[in-house]
Amino acid sequence: MPFSLAGRDIISIKDFKREEIDEILRLTDAFEPLADRGSDMLKGKIMATLFFEPSTRTKLSFESAMHRLGGEVIGFAGSMGTSVEKGENLADTVRVVENYADVLVVRHPLEGAARLAAEFASVPVINAGSGAEEHPTQALLDLYTIRRELGRIDGLKVALVGDLRYGRTVHSLAYALSLYDIKLYLVSPEILRMRKEVLAGIRGRVDVVETEDLAGILPELDVVYVTRIQKERFADPAEYEEVKGSYRLTSAMLSRLKPTGIVMHPLPRVDEVDYDVDRIPQARYFKQVRYGLLVRMFLLASVLGAI
Amino acid sequence: MREEEGLRIQKIENGTVIDHITAGYALDVLRILNIDGKDGHVVSIAMNVRSGKMGKKDIVKIENRELRQQEVDKIALLAPRATINIIRGYSVAQKTRVKLPEVIRDIIRCDNPVCISNAKEPVEPKFYVVGTSPLLLRCHYCGREMGREEVLKQFSG
């Protein structure tokens, strides 16, 4: 039987086996031409975006993916002016909105929110970010970027740099990468080290090195994945002041990166990647955005049973 | 049971004896069972008594009370080696060892303040038992892992 995600929820990267991720990455290639010329693959289908937390690019990416496949989009962003502001819980919101849509894309500030939404929804739910916990579609698009740009994932040396404590992207990505045969460097200030439950989940499956020294390992790396320090998730502003600007990649610093190495970033960036890095050939973060569109097109088409 | 312990703890006619409780946890066991002695029935506690298998152990005897499964599961969280003896007519009618189920529902809440299961949602907390010694539970919703200390904190309020 061909690989399909029909009717399936996409809540956590942990719900996927390596073979399934490989299939997702392989099948996403076919969506490249559809992104350019459009398609009516999802004509008559409606996607609802339930964004209880601000987002620009993830929401736009899902919306664009749906439009390019001929589907319709409804939804809201932020809880202002919605029933949530009147005190409605997530379970009720989901049970209302599922009547209007064929797939729900949920972003919520609380951890585990997408899993709860999926339990109450009879239509597929896609997690577009749940608190500091998970962002599975970002992890898939990150893997897709690595595979497209370097031709493989196995055998690579990958560094995740910056806020490994609060950045949900790196939690999902570290787990996804641990399904492959890679060497993983976790580069962060002491107080922003990877959460212990994420480490426990990946240790023993891949070779993990925790360090604060990016410059020392840079020449070895195939992938430098930089993240923004998540100011909004710090309980103590003094702690943020202490670590902001810990890692600032410049083109001069990156002259020590292999010509075949790549620089990635989930965006938005603040000051961790200098604008002059945009001009070096190894910069891939805007391509990542394009690849994200393709991965989300595949995911929507697949969970809605169109392929 | 040896004679000197028998002198300290009176036999009960009907009820439950919880034996092989981790030394020092008898009061926590009573607390999670909501037993405070105010209903007038005999409750006997022995703490830090010698045990061949465990070195030291606690024992609790509760008269006129047979435990429900959910109560037995709670005990398993604190005292994974405990045995439950149901006493009828001064003799042991049934003897079972506690066993942690694979999934724990509605006994404890998630330690993560930003977990959706702590919000105003119509769901019961749910945990997977990923380790028993030491105890390790994983929240079904947020994935947060909790050990014995975090669990105990919830019963010592």
Side-chain angles (χ1 to χ4, degrees):
Chain A
M1 230 181 86
F3 177 76
S4 170
L5 297 170
R8 203 166 145 180
D9 303 307
I10 298 173
I11 304 302
S12 165
I13 198 75
K14 291 180 201 153
D15 299 338
F16 290 88
K17 296 197 269 293
R18 156 132 189 201
E19 303 77 59
E20 293 175 316
I21 293 177
D22 282 339
E23 280 296 281
I24 291 169
L25 305 184
R26 187 178 69 79
L27 294 167
T28 293
D29 288 343
F31 284 77
E32 178 98 67
L34 304 185
D36 295 331
R37 64 166 194 263
S39 158
D40 59 2
M41 194 181 272
L42 294 182
K43 190 165 191 294
K45 298 288 185 186
I46 298 175
M47 172 185 83
T49 53
L50 281 61
F51 275 57
F52 297 89
E53 213 184 37
S55 154
T56 46
R57 66 206 69 246
T58 304
K59 186 164 178 290
L60 287 173
S61 178
F62 272 107
E63 288 175 352
S64 174
M66 194 66 184
H67 283 304
R68 285 179 192 277
L69 292 173
E72 307 283 329
V73 175
I74 59 172
F76 63 83
S79 53
M80 288 281 284
T82 67
S83 54
V84 178
E85 207 185 25
K86 297 172 191 155
E88 185 174 67
N89 63 23
L90 177 61
D92 282 4
T93 306
V94 162
R95 284 178 288 188
V96 170
V97 179
E98 69 168 353
N99 293 287
Y100 309 141
D102 304 290
V103 58
L104 309 182
V105 177
V106 178
R107 169 170 289 195
H108 198 281
L110 294 183
E111 299 180 13
R115 195 167 294 285
L116 182 137
E119 287 178 355
F120 284 90
S122 55
V123 299
V125 170
I126 300 178
N127 183 5
S130 46
E133 179 204 11
E134 279 248 27
H135 197 349
T137 65
Q138 177 76 41
L140 290 170
L141 79 88
D142 292 336
L143 290 184
Y144 185 70
T145 303
I146 296 171
R147 181 183 163 278
R148 276 288 295 262
E149 292 299 312
L150 298 175
R152 68 198 162 103
I153 299 169
D154 285 319
L156 299 179
K157 291 182 177 173
V158 180
L160 306 182
V161 183
D163 186 350
L164 308 185
R165 181 173 166 197
Y166 296 109
R168 57 186 159 207
T169 302
V170 288
H171 298 154
S172 291
L173 180 57
Y175 187 83
L177 285 168
S178 75
L179 300 175
Y180 292 83
D181 178 22
I182 60 145
K183 182 162 185 177
L184 186 62
Y185 293 92
L186 301 174
V187 187
S188 70
E190 180 68 29
I191 63 164
L192 294 179
R193 284 169 78 159
M194 186 63 90
R195 290 181 175 201
K196 67 173 173 22
E197 55 263 43
V198 180
L199 270 181
I202 61 174
R203 275 222 162 103
R205 304 198 325 188
V206 283
D207 194 0
V208 179
V209 178
E210 290 187 277
T211 177
E212 293 188 33
D213 175 25
L214 177 61
I217 58 167
L218 198 56
E220 286 182 47
L221 300 175
D222 299 294
V223 178
V224 187
Y225 192 101
V226 191
T227 62
R228 177 176 68 89
I229 295 187
Q230 308 263 316
K231 184 179 181 181
E232 65 277 21
R233 299 196 197 278
F234 278 78
D236 179 359
E239 259 192 1
Y240 172 73
E241 289 302 317
E242 198 180 304
V243 294
K244 73 169 189 188
S246 298
Y247 298 99
R248 189 183 172 124
L249 263 65
T250 61
S251 57
M253 190 178 170
L254 287 165
S255 63
R256 299 177 61 234
L257 181 67
K258 293 190 237 187
T260 53
I262 61 173
V263 180
M264 296 171 64
H265 192 302
L267 302 177
R269 67 175 148 178
V270 184
D271 57 5
E272 58 281 349
V273 178
D274 238 19
Y275 293 114
D276 68 4
V277 176
D278 300 357
R279 289 190 292 274
I280 70 168
Q282 294 105 320
R284 290 294 191 285
Y285 27 91
F286 291 111
K287 265 195 146 169
Q288 239 175 303
V289 177
R290 162 81 175 176
Y291 292 146
L293 173 71
L294 305 185
V295 168
R296 289 181 176 122
M297 286 172 73
F298 167 76
L299 293 174
L300 287 169
S302 195
V303 299
L304 289 170
I307 49 168
Chain B
M1 192 185 287
R2 290 196 312 274
E3 198 181 345
E4 68 259 37
E5 286 175 13
L7 290 173
R8 282 189 212 128
I9 304 184
Q10 206 178 17
K11 280 197 165 188
I12 55 172
E13 185 178 354
N14 296 300
T16 305
V17 175
I18 309 168
D19 199 354
H20 301 107
I21 298 169
T22 314
Y25 284 89
L27 297 176
D28 295 306
V29 167
L30 288 176
R31 184 177 291 131
I32 65 173
L33 296 174
N34 281 321
I35 292 172
D36 57 9
K38 292 197 175 63
D39 59 5
H41 297 302
V42 173
V43 177
S44 313
I45 305 165
M47 297 181 80
N48 297 315
V49 297
R50 274 194 299 279
S51 160
K53 274 189 286 185
M54 301 170 70
K56 281 180 179 179
K57 65 175 182 180
D58 288 4
I59 306 168
V60 167
K61 295 188 178 189
I62 311 152
E63 201 170 51
N64 295 325
R65 169 102 177 249
E66 292 188 12
L67 299 182
R68 296 188 306 272
Q69 188 58 44
Q70 203 203 32
E71 293 178 312
V72 173
D73 291 346
K74 278 188 186 179
I75 293 168
L77 285 171
L78 294 188
R81 298 173 71 180
T83 46
I84 312 283
N85 300 287
I86 305 296
I87 310 293
R88 290 177 196 140
Y90 291 109
S91 55
V92 178
Q94 194 189 326
K95 181 168 184 158
T96 48
R97 271 193 80 160
V98 299
K99 190 176 179 300
L100 269 178
E102 285 177 15
V103 178
I104 293 174
R105 295 167 197 273
D106 218 15
I107 296 179
I108 46 169
R109 59 184 156 66
C110 184
D111 193 43
N112 178 2
V114 292
C115 175
I116 190 80
S117 70
N118 287 319
K120 200 186 65 183
E121 300 289 343
V123 291
E124 58 183 21
K126 180 174 161 185
F127 296 87
Y128 302 104
V129 177
V130 284
T132 48
S133 51
L135 179 72
L136 193 61
L137 307 177
R138 180 180 300 131
C139 174
H140 164 70
Y141 290 100
C142 75
R144 175 70 65 98
E145 290 183 347
M146 287 166 56
R148 186 188 174 79
E149 289 309 308
E150 287 86 14
V151 171
L152 259 180
K153 261 194 313 202
Q154 298 192 16
F155 296 123
S156 56

